[in-house]
Amino acid sequence: MPATATRLNRLLALSFFMYGVLAVPWLERSALKRVAKPRVSRRTNESASSSSTDACATSIVAPKQNVWNSLTDDETASVTQWLFNQRDLNLTKASEAGDWDNTLLLVELMYPNKTDVLRYMDRNDTEPVRFAHVVIAHRSSPDPYYGDLIVGPLPVQNGTTTWNYLEYPYTRKTKGQVRNLDADEHALVEWLYSITASIEDITLALWNGTALGLQNDTISLSGISPYWQNDDRIVGWYTLTNLPTGEYDSATLLPLGLCFKADLTGRDPSKWKLEGWWYNNIFYHNTHEFRAAFKSPGFVRLGANVDGTWTSTGQQEPVLPHDTPLPPVHTALGGSRYSVDETQKYVTWMDFSFYLGFSRDTGLTLYDIRFKGERIIYELGLQEALSHYAGIDPATSGTAYLDSFSGMGANTFELLKGYDCPAYATYLNSSLYFEETSATYLQNICMFEFDADFPIQRHTNTMFASSTKNIYFTVRSISTVGNYDYLISYSFYMDGSITVEVRASGYIHAAYYADNKDFGYHIHDFLSGAMHDHVINFKADFDIRGQDNTVQFVSTVPVTRSFAWSGDKEVNTMMLQRSFLENEDSARFNWSPNQATQVLVLNTDKPNQFGEYPGYRITPYSGSAHLTMQKSSDLVDSATWAGYDIQVTRQHDTEPRSAHPYNLEDVYNPPINFDDFFDGENLTQADLVVWFNLGMHHVPQTGDLPNTLFTQARSGVQFVPSNFLSSDPSRQIVQQERVNYTAGYNASMMQPLGPDSHTCPLAF
Ligand SMILES: *[C@@H]1O[C@H](CO)[C@@H](O)[C@H](O)[C@H]1NC(C)=O
Ligand SMILES: *[C@@H]1O[C@H](CO)[C@@H](O)[C@H](O)[C@H]1NC(C)=O
Ligand SMILES: *[C@@H]1O[C@H](CO)[C@@H](O)[C@H](O)[C@H]1NC(C)=O
Ligand SMILES: *[C@@H]1O[C@H](CO)[C@@H](O)[C@H](O)[C@H]1NC(C)=O
Ligand SMILES: *[C@@H]1O[C@H](CO)[C@@H](O)[C@H](O)[C@H]1NC(C)=O
Ligand SMILES: *[C@@H]1O[C@H](CO)[C@@H](O)[C@H](O)[C@H]1NC(C)=O
Ligand SMILES: *[C@@H]1O[C@H](CO)[C@@H](O)[C@H](O)[C@H]1NC(C)=O
Ligand SMILES: *[C@@H]1O[C@H](CO)[C@@H](O)[C@H](O)[C@H]1NC(C)=O
Ligand SMILES: *[C@@H]1O[C@H](CO)[C@@H](O)[C@H](O)[C@H]1NC(C)=O
Ligand SMILES: *[C@@H]1O[C@H](CO)[C@@H](O)[C@H](O)[C@H]1NC(C)=O
Ligand SMILES: *[C@@H]1O[C@H](CO)[C@@H](O)[C@H](O)[C@H]1NC(C)=O
Ligand SMILES: [Cu+2]
């Protein structure tokens, strides 16, 4: 994830969404442009495009209210108005706010507690009372903080509605507040330009460019994330980067190899200090030292990374043979095969059903996933996305993005029909708070059926051949957080399995190539494809035949043993070894080498007729990874979920999420430290939550230029029914063929499935 001014740009990117447009030219050149750019992106209702209604989905009425559905525009408006009337919050409108004003960053639905939801869903109790989750940026004092508030009950009524700091999801109990290291964004931008202006002679001499905060700047800055936070000091590193000259968003490919260190402790810019320069792997303690070296005869001038064709994502010559005619296009000729309640965001496809929720931090979450009418997963959704870099330069080494800070939901933009999802897909809108109003993110969720390029089943013998279509159903969104695009798909299959996949594309965040072969490949003139780990955490709250579940491990192990029939002879063979996960002390583990161990979530109270336990197996699907470093110096305790492939805890309403968007503001004392979830609780027949990581060790190579590709950067997990039903449910599929060879009939006589008069509208 990341952006030019990484830390800073992200901050500015965030500013664009949360505080409004700042009148700083540099922002327009870099940060702002990158955020505003997501081309078709976040349109408001005025510029709404054509309607998304389609013939592929039948509309239905959800059996229950979607208790996870976003606040209505009216709810958002009334909560906002009410908050502005609370004098103790002392809020200023985003468009008028400066660094020392309090602002309202977020108003969204407070997701209800599972305990209350189940009472409503399963026991016909009344709908849980709705509350709003609110985030304020308190900046009007020397100790600025972000405040998480719970406001309600809704609808707002003077007298009964109250606000409180939201304490319960925090693993440290500090009143729902996190210190805010980003309060002085305007002052910081100004201060940073004063530093780059102080070496204008050098930037002109080295690169014929300036970073002065003017329209004609050709150089920008990128900062680390998180800040160094040791010894009560807040220290940042900034790296100079060429700005793209063309229309491509390639600033993260253009580092110039010069970094500076800044002590930014406190809110008084006059006390902020430049602490040195880093160039050509030499550290200069101050500008004077750096300039003296620069003027000395032996000074080595490094080359610059400059954009060009190599950074452009446009079509490049020559055209490949036969690439001009329209490629095969998927269509949905059979008409409606699934149903959607667009208002309630409730979906049914074949024997699956679920509700959708959408939030600023985490984007899409699926709730109450049922298969054949039975709940199998209460909640399935992304928690946090980490990109952790390493490098010889301080900026790359100091970069570990946690993307819920920018918002995996807030950066989920309009999908391109026929490219991001099939043209015939059903597209849904989302509502998100933006500067005191509710903004509609158009068509940022898609769902569609797809025919895999292989059958789900087939068999041939001398008598007949049979084959069954492999149709699956996908719900998808794409979050573009700075330079990277994460494509996130939840897919459902006819055999009862579910997959979760993440793919990444977009511009890599590269490093200056300076003798750093150990930290990445040399991929362009002066460019290192900075190595980094992607780790993306998901929550899967399984409920198999009820809430009381157990994790079982079934391992395939080598053995040497004798049998009743083997006499003296020992046989080298293999066998199964079964064990249960008993408590949280041993509940953090990795996929086994050689995939030897099955990990199953099952219900031991409900064995089948053969004495086996019904459940779902969890298995890596297309690559996975956890964080390489054991205890990251950058992250400290802020992403302790990243160290294992899979972790299991006992469900608690007070532990709804593994991460907090502001964990990087206080890495030694983050609001949510996932380590604290592990307190030795009994996991035998308890309500279990499985937290799993998708990810990859990304070592960009020349093929990552100009962009990383979804084909290569991907990771997934699959949930597979295990002894759950008495046989394979895909046998119910009508879309199968059997050819009898004996009846004088052979496979060539079969008519391929052809077009039909029912067609979904095609849009190209
Ligand atoms: C857009 O939203 C605004 C504010 O909610 C409303 O006043 C306006 O009528 C809407 N415009 C359209 C075209 O729906
Ligand atoms: C999405 O918003 C557009 C524009 O307001 C509207 O035409 C369309 O019907 C909405 N789609 C859904 C599924 O609500
Ligand atoms: C309210 O905020 C303003 C800045 O927006 C500040 O000047 C003022 O002191 C604050 N008032 C209180 C009571 O904190
Ligand atoms: C959820 O449960 C916690 C802990 O019991 C409670 O403090 C909180 O108010 C509940 N949240 C909602 C939205 O009801
Ligand atoms: C809940 O209400 C529905 C419809 O009224 C009924 O069919 C069902 O049996 C009820 N369930 C319980 C647990 O009371
Ligand atoms: C609540 O009170 C405020 C000011 O006292 C007023 O502006 C607002 O309209 C009232 N809201 C409701 C829902 O009564
Ligand atoms: C330096 O930059 C200026 C302004 O962008 C340009 O006019 C000039 O030609 C450049 N000089 C060199 C030597 O590239
Ligand atoms: C950039 O703009 C400033 C202010 O408009 C001007 O003084 C300066 O000469 C310009 N620099 C270049 C290289 O064009
Ligand atoms: C764990 O819980 C199970 C089910 O409630 C119980 O049978 C078992 O004795 C408990 N184990 C321990 C060590 O307390
Ligand atoms: C093939 O044989 C099976 C079993 O006898 C029969 O049910 C089926 O209808 C036959 N299919 C065709 C295409 O003749
Ligand atoms: C299969 O049927 C086709 C079409 O009737 C025929 O041309 C072909 O000879 C048959 N093949 C065999 C092996 O019987
Ligand atoms: Cu990557």
Side-chain angles (χ1 to χ4, degrees), residues 162 221 383 389 538 607 731 739:
T162 57
L221 285 178
Q383 301 292 298
Y389 292 75
F538 284 83
R731 293 307 81 222
V739 173

Side-chain angles (χ1 to χ4, degrees), residues 237 259-262 274-278 283-287:
W237 277 96
C259 302
F260 63 89
K261 181 181 178 189
L274 175 75
E275 295 201 321
W277 296 89
W278 180 90
F283 183 69
Y284 304 97
H285 291 86
N286 50 53
T287 306

Side-chain angles (χ1 to χ4, degrees), residues 198-265:
S198 76
I199 56 152
E200 185 181 353
D201 56 327
I202 300 178
T203 63
L204 280 168
L206 288 177
W207 308 298
N208 188 30
T210 54
L212 304 172
L214 300 175
Q215 279 294 350
N216 55 10
D217 276 351
T218 58
I219 296 171
S220 182
L221 285 178
S222 154
I224 58 170
S225 171
Y227 289 114
W228 290 3
Q229 299 172 24
N230 340 29
D231 307 325
D232 293 330
R233 308 305 297 173
I234 302 301
V235 173
W237 277 96
Y238 296 87
T239 191
L240 279 71
T241 301
N242 256 336
L243 282 166
T245 56
E247 59 178 304
Y248 292 95
D249 193 20
S250 55
T252 54
L253 299 180
L254 309 174
L256 290 167
L258 175 62
C259 302
F260 63 89
K261 181 181 178 189
D263 185 326
L264 303 169
T265 310

Side-chain angles (χ1 to χ4, degrees), residues 87 146 187 243 256 267 366 438 447 677 679:
R87 291 182 50 196
Y146 294 106
L243 282 166
L256 290 167
R267 296 204 66 182
L366 278 55
S438 177
M447 52 186 82
F677 286 28
D679 45 6

Side-chain angles (χ1 to χ4, degrees), residues 110-113 116 129 131 150 168 653-654:
M110 177 83 226
Y111 280 140
N113 287 324
D116 300 327
V129 178
F131 288 87
I150 178 167
Y168 69 86
D653 287 345
T654 51

Side-chain angles (χ1 to χ4, degrees), residues 704-743:
D704 286 84
L705 297 176
N707 276 184
T708 291
L709 301 175
F710 283 146
T711 42
Q712 299 168 18
R714 86 276 172 265
S715 174
V717 84
Q718 186 180 22
F719 307 143
V720 188
S722 175
N723 296 313
F724 187 70
L725 302 171
S726 58
S727 67
D728 162 27
S730 82
R731 293 307 81 222
Q732 290 174 259
I733 298 175
V734 170
Q735 306 299 331
Q736 55 174 291
E737 185 58 271
R738 176 178 162 124
V739 173
N740 296 334
Y741 292 135
T742 47

Side-chain angles (χ1 to χ4, degrees), residues 553-574:
F553 302 107
V554 177
S555 299
T556 303
V557 296
V559 285
T560 300
R561 58 167 285 183
S562 58
F563 295 89
W565 44 264
S566 61
D568 292 343
K569 190 173 161 236
E570 295 251 283
V571 181
N572 289 338
T573 182
M574 60 185 173

